[in-house]
Amino acid sequence: MTREPGRRRWRGPGAPSAGAFGPAVAALVVPAVAVAVAVASAAAGADRRTALAAGLAVLQFGALRWVPRRPAAVLGVTAVTGLAVFALFPAVTLTGALLAAQVALCALAATRPRRISLRGAAALCVPAPLAPLAGGGLGLPLYLLAVALAWTAGELYRTRRARAAAETRRAVAEERARIARDVHDVVAHTVSVMVIQASAAEDGFTARPEQARQALRDIEAVGRSALTELRWLLRAFRDDGPAAEPGAGPPGLARLDALADTARAAGLSVVVRRDGPGDAAGDGPPAAVDLTAYRIVQEALTNVLRHAEGAAEVRVSVRLGAAAVDVEVVDDGRPRPRPRTALPGTGNGLTGMRERAALLGGSMRAGPLDGGGWRVHATLPTGHTAVAAGGTTPPGEGST
């Protein structure tokens, strides 16, 4: 959707076209007025008034060509010319003489704010007392009804277009939030592991060179894994992306062991337990649930690496049920201030996990345990179909 400089006119899906709307409307309005004038002139006898009325009809035709760009000005021109036609041939009726003005009012209501179009409607109601002169007792109500219908049609069109534009903006905001969320999930976890590994390599570079080399190899492996996942994310956002690499694809519970290995490389003991169907085709959860469960485990492990002091073991449990997937991550550490190897964050990781679960109709709870440690538990219904496999996130969601 673009806006032309210096003009208060928006172009986009559903917007009126200056090249088609004006001539099309004129092609309908002008013959109607011309027929009415011809009938009236035949009844009254052809004279100069006929030529003058024909000239006014041509003027209306020329004015209607500009109705998408200047509806207020066109409304004024067509109202004046229509009143002139009515003065020459009252038999045309006020409704017929001001038919072009009613079209202009419809365009004004469709393309301008309500306060402006209401003023135009009010101005068009001013000559209403003249309607009974040719239309009899029904002349006034028919004219007012025609004006009201013209304004209502334009207002409905404008409201519908504004609603569509609002939905488009909301969809864009959701997509941006989802991209930020997915990129965060990949980068935050990977960078946390790499920082810890780099610190370990620096500490043991002289005394334990082999351990330092292993740490560097782990950094390389984690980085390559992150690049593969980022490539998949970028490919998912492009329709013309290259063919997928072997083994590339959306992460899920099938890659839980590889995710645990990255945490193990940072010094954690990670125990993964699965209950329920295996990874055979058709036995796993829906794609959206599969991806969300993986992201929750990923964020929970990242939080252990960054915030749990003295954590030696993390237990990851995934239970695949018929109605829901239960995910639990428990560590034996304790909260700590920001350590030397931690990365600054906004503290919205838990909020992000809750929102991911809520999008699937599920829930997520996190908190300290009585005997020490931290527990994250999420329940993700498998029958919830409101979210597509890619998943979307509401505007304004946070990420660490």
Side-chain angles (χ1 to χ4, degrees), residues 186-281:
V186 176
V187 173
H189 177 78
T190 304
V191 173
S192 296
V193 173
M194 294 174 71
V195 168
I196 293 174
Q197 290 286 61
S199 177
E202 180 183 7
D203 293 341
F205 194 80
T206 302
R208 297 181 297 275
E210 185 56 34
Q211 181 179 348
R213 293 189 183 93
Q214 182 59 42
L216 293 176
R217 286 192 290 268
D218 291 338
I219 290 175
E220 179 184 8
V222 170
R224 290 183 181 276
S225 175
L227 285 175
T228 299
E229 192 167 343
L230 286 173
R231 289 192 188 100
W232 172 81
L233 287 174
L234 294 176
R235 187 178 297 111
F237 301 138
R238 295 187 311 183
D239 295 333
D240 58 345
E245 301 175 2
L253 295 176
R255 297 190 184 182
L256 210 54
D257 290 330
L259 178 62
D261 287 339
T262 62
R264 294 186 184 108
L268 286 177
S269 174
V270 182
V271 179
V272 179
R273 177 183 175 183
R274 293 183 180 87
D275 294 321
D279 296 328

Side-chain angles (χ1 to χ4, degrees), residues 39-63:
V39 172
S41 62
D47 54 17
R48 295 180 180 178
R49 292 184 301 168
T50 303
L52 181 57
L56 293 174
V58 173
L59 181 60
Q60 287 181 333
F61 171 80

Side-chain angles (χ1 to χ4, degrees), residues 62-219:
L64 286 177
R65 292 182 60 88
W66 295 92
V67 69
R69 295 186 176 90
R70 299 288 186 269
V74 172
L75 176 61
V77 171
T78 53
V80 171
T81 55
L83 289 174
V85 170
F86 180 74
L88 293 171
F89 293 101
V92 175
T93 73
L94 188 63
T95 302
L98 292 177
L99 182 60
Q102 295 161 25
V103 172
L105 175 63
C106 182
L108 182 69
T111 57
R112 296 297 184 270
R114 182 178 301 173
R115 65 180 185 277
I116 297 178
S117 63
L118 283 175
R119 293 172 186 170
L124 208 55
C125 289
V126 171
L130 301 176
L133 297 179
L138 295 178
L140 179 60
L142 287 177
Y143 175 74
L144 293 178
L145 179 62
V147 173
L149 288 177
W151 182 86
T152 301
E155 178 67 15
L156 288 176
Y157 179 83
R158 185 188 65 82
T159 302
R160 183 179 60 186
R161 190 175 56 173
R163 186 182 300 114
E167 291 176 356
T168 300
R169 290 192 297 269
R170 180 179 59 83
V172 171
E174 290 180 352
E175 185 67 9
R176 287 176 177 174
R178 182 168 75 92
I179 294 172
R181 167 69 61 87
D182 288 337
V183 172
H184 153 260
D185 288 339
V186 176
V187 173
H189 177 78
T190 304
V191 173
S192 296
V193 173
M194 294 174 71
V195 168
I196 293 174
Q197 290 286 61
S199 177
E202 180 183 7
D203 293 341
F205 194 80
T206 302
R208 297 181 297 275
E210 185 56 34
Q211 181 179 348
R213 293 189 183 93
Q214 182 59 42
L216 293 176
R217 286 192 290 268
D218 291 338
I219 290 175

Side-chain angles (χ1 to χ4, degrees), residues 181 184 299 303 346-354 364 398-400:
R181 167 69 61 87
H184 153 260
E299 180 64 29
N303 288 340
T346 62
N348 290 327
L350 294 178
T351 301
M353 286 192 282
R354 289 191 184 95
M364 195 284 294
S399 60
T400 55

Side-chain angles (χ1 to χ4, degrees), residues 188-190 192-193 196 255-264 266 268-272 294-308 311 313-316 328-331 353 374 376:
H189 177 78
T190 304
S192 296
V193 173
I196 293 174
R255 297 190 184 182
L256 210 54
D257 290 330
L259 178 62
D261 287 339
T262 62
R264 294 186 184 108
L268 286 177
S269 174
V270 182
V271 179
V272 179
Y294 177 90
R295 293 301 191 197
I296 288 176
V297 173
Q298 185 180 49
E299 180 64 29
L301 291 177
T302 302
N303 288 340
V304 173
L305 291 172
R306 301 173 67 177
H307 305 302
E313 183 181 73
V314 181
R315 298 187 303 276
V316 178
E328 184 179 71
V329 181
V330 179
D331 68 80
M353 286 192 282
W374 189 271
V376 174

